[in-house]
Amino acid sequence: MSKLSIRDIDLTNKRVFIRVDFNVPLTEDGSTITDDTRIVATLPTIEYALRHKAKVILASHLGRPKGKPNPKYSLRPVVDRLRQLLDRQLGESVNVAFSPDCVGEVALELARQLESGQVLLLENLRYHAEEEANDAAFSKSLAALAEVYVNDAFGSAHRAHASTEGITHFLKPAVAGLLMEKEITYLGKALEAPEKPFVAIIGGSKISGKIDVIQNLLDKVNTLVIVGGMAYTFQRALGVTTGKSLVEEDKIDLAKETLAKAKAKGVNLLLPVDNILADNFAPDAKTQPWDTSKNFPADWQGLDIGPKSIAAIEEVVSTARTIVWNGPAGVFEFPRFAVGTNAIARAVAANKAATSIIGGGDSVSAINQAGVADQITHISTGGGASLEFLEGKKLPGVEALTDK
Ligand code: AMP
């Protein structure tokens, strides 16, 4: 990694501003956390800072309060959960204070009172419209709280906001937290120096959302597997009719160009050879398997890949050394059409010789559903950010960090 990491600098007795992703799901009234995965993911960084005698200041956004205070989006419920998790992690009781505003006199005073080994959690950054506007004065106020900046919120790194980008103009060094470092290292290696064979599996609903990733990966992979709704636009590009399946009519030419580009680059572009067709878009629809070489019956639609496609994917995945997977193979929200997606999850997990990288909320839930998360090398915490990274885009929150 070309950026400084938290492990490269001295934290002793320093006030360390850590941008974390505590954008956790809450109950409707905003009082209780329903899933603490994101808090847990950033614990190693917080623990590292505390063990190295830092005074830790944590900042995050939560939901979309649209630039003004709203108790529904308060980070206050995080305090207790964080304290429990840190106590367990460190084996001692950790002092976690809360500032009702992320900037201003109260926040400054609480930051000044912090002692080594203590934590101060700031209220939701997005209570101020200046956060998303990347306002310079607001960035400067955030910077005034600390002496070191750490970004551990990979999921927000594709946005140039005050807490991810602006602040680094006023607070240096700006370094990556351990989670951020892990994300950049794995995703970066997949793009820059992947062990071959490199297999990418791209699924999901539409080509339009994934075309930039597909284009960028065509320069890197040996095999590109395309599944999910977007495969039908490719099918149409090959001259097969697809009934009522999801198709982006205006992207058929783009699919043709992509097929030609893959051929020219010697990339094995694998499309589903069979599908599970449904007589309507419903969990209990009537179904039939259908080979993709034949025109689909007019009133039916493909909602999952079929067994022959699964077998073909299992085969290429089994010999891969690098696997990147983003997007489901079917309408996996309906259990009967989750078969392909679950099979991919198990196939990726089964290849112990490969570096496997999963991005995107749907693939991550498939991995969790299949109970194989611990067999994946890296599960990205940032859906949008990992997609932009794989598109080859520079993420402002990463670019802003201090070079080694
Ligand atoms: P995306 O947000 O582009 O990653 O797409 C994810 C969505 O694609 C999921 O909600 C799936 O239900 C949907 N999807 C996957 N395969 C199909 C399909 N064959 N037809 C319609 N939707 C699909």
Side-chain angles (χ1 to χ4, degrees):
M1 193 179 71
S2 62
K3 300 295 183 181
L4 280 182
S5 125
I6 192 170
R7 292 180 296 135
D8 297 321
I9 57 168
D10 180 24
L11 303 175
T12 316
N13 287 325
K14 298 218 168 100
R15 274 175 285 121
V16 178
F17 182 107
I18 311 183
R19 173 54 160 106
V20 291
D21 179 0
F22 284 171
N23 185 23
V24 289
L26 298 171
T27 47
E28 187 53 35
D29 64 352
S31 68
T32 313
I33 298 164
T34 55
D35 180 351
D36 65 4
T37 308
R38 288 187 167 149
I39 303 176
V40 172
T42 200
L43 278 183
T45 301
I46 302 170
E47 184 187 349
Y48 181 94
L50 292 174
R51 286 198 191 281
H52 287 80
K53 305 198 163 38
K55 305 168 182 177
V56 173
I57 300 166
L58 301 175
S60 177
H61 74 282
L62 195 160
R64 297 178 183 280
K66 307 216 172 96
K68 39 182 195 301
N70 179 341
K72 247 177 92 172
Y73 301 107
S74 175
L75 278 159
R76 204 180 275 275
V78 172
V79 173
D80 282 342
R81 182 67 61 96
L82 181 64
R83 195 181 288 131
Q84 285 162 10
L85 289 165
L86 284 173
D87 287 357
R88 198 185 319 153
Q89 197 88 4
L90 283 118
E92 61 188 86
S93 120
V94 177
N95 188 320
V96 182
F98 183 75
S99 171
D101 196 354
C102 62
V103 288
E105 263 320 307
V106 184
L108 271 173
E109 188 48 39
L110 286 165
R112 262 186 232 121
Q113 287 168 10
L114 267 182
E115 290 174 21
S116 285
Q118 295 185 340
V119 178
L120 172 65
L121 174 64
L122 306 176
E123 182 56 288
N124 197 340
L125 292 157
R126 290 193 188 165
Y127 277 11
H128 296 264
E130 294 90 336
E131 159 65 0
E132 288 184 86
N134 198 7
D135 178 80
F138 181 74
S139 302
K140 204 172 169 183
S141 306
L142 290 174
L145 298 172
E147 295 148 289
V148 172
Y149 173 78
V150 178
N151 192 344
D152 211 30
F154 178 74
S156 301
H158 58 316
R159 306 272 178 254
H161 292 166
S163 67
T164 61
E165 200 275 338
I167 187 171
T168 65
H169 298 285
F170 305 100
L171 185 56
K172 289 210 174 11
V175 306
L178 300 177
L179 178 62
M180 173 72 90
E181 184 183 28
K182 188 166 172 251
E183 294 273 7
I184 304 173
T185 303
Y186 280 116
L187 291 166
K189 176 148 189 270
L191 293 186
E192 280 149 32
E195 239 192 287
K196 307 271 179 139
F198 180 5
V199 176
I201 307 161
I202 303 296
S205 55
K206 293 179 174 176
I207 292 191
S208 41
K210 304 275 167 86
I211 189 65
D212 292 340
V213 178
I214 291 174
Q215 301 283 7
N216 193 39
L217 289 177
L218 276 180
D219 290 322
K220 330 255 176 204
V221 299
N222 302 96
T223 299
L224 178 65
V225 181
I226 293 189
V227 288
M230 74 175 80
Y232 302 111
T233 305
F234 281 91
Q235 227 57 73
R236 286 282 301 281
L238 290 170
V240 182
T241 67
T242 55
K244 290 204 166 139
S245 306
L246 186 66
V247 167
E248 288 170 280
E249 295 288 341
D250 60 336
K251 295 287 180 301
I252 294 175
D253 283 341
L254 185 60
K256 280 185 192 159
E257 284 163 31
T258 308
L259 289 167
K261 192 172 165 192
K263 197 166 177 196
K265 288 182 182 294
V267 171
N268 173 26
L269 195 147
L270 209 68
L271 288 167
V273 289
D274 60 349
N275 296 277
I276 303 300
L277 302 191
D279 67 346
N280 68 83
F281 188 88
D284 57 353
K286 243 193 247 152
T287 63
Q288 59 175 324
W290 194 271
D291 280 354
T292 314
S293 55
K294 299 178 293 178
N295 287 333
F296 289 16
D299 283 338
W300 292 63
Q301 56 188 300
L303 294 188
D304 198 4
I305 55 173
K308 294 176 197 168
S309 309
I310 291 175
I313 295 170
E314 282 169 347
E315 194 181 324
V316 291
V317 165
S318 71
T319 54
R321 286 301 181 129
T322 304
I323 306 163
V324 166
W325 176 28
N326 184 304
V331 182
F332 81 115
E333 294 91 340
F334 300 157
R336 287 169 65 227
F337 303 106
V339 177
T341 303
N342 289 336
I344 293 176
R346 285 193 302 273
V348 173
N351 184 340
K352 303 281 185 282
T355 300
S356 49
I357 299 164
I358 314 293
D362 295 332
S363 320
V364 175
S365 25
I367 287 287
N368 287 327
Q369 244 174 55
V372 293
D374 57 337
Q375 294 161 58
I376 301 298
T377 317
H378 181 64
I379 297 179
S380 180
T381 53
S386 69
L387 210 55
E388 289 198 18
F389 198 108
L390 292 173
E391 286 169 3
K393 289 197 183 128
K394 303 245 177 264
L395 310 187
V398 175
E399 291 304 299
L401 300 177
T402 312
D403 285 318
K404 260 193 181 140

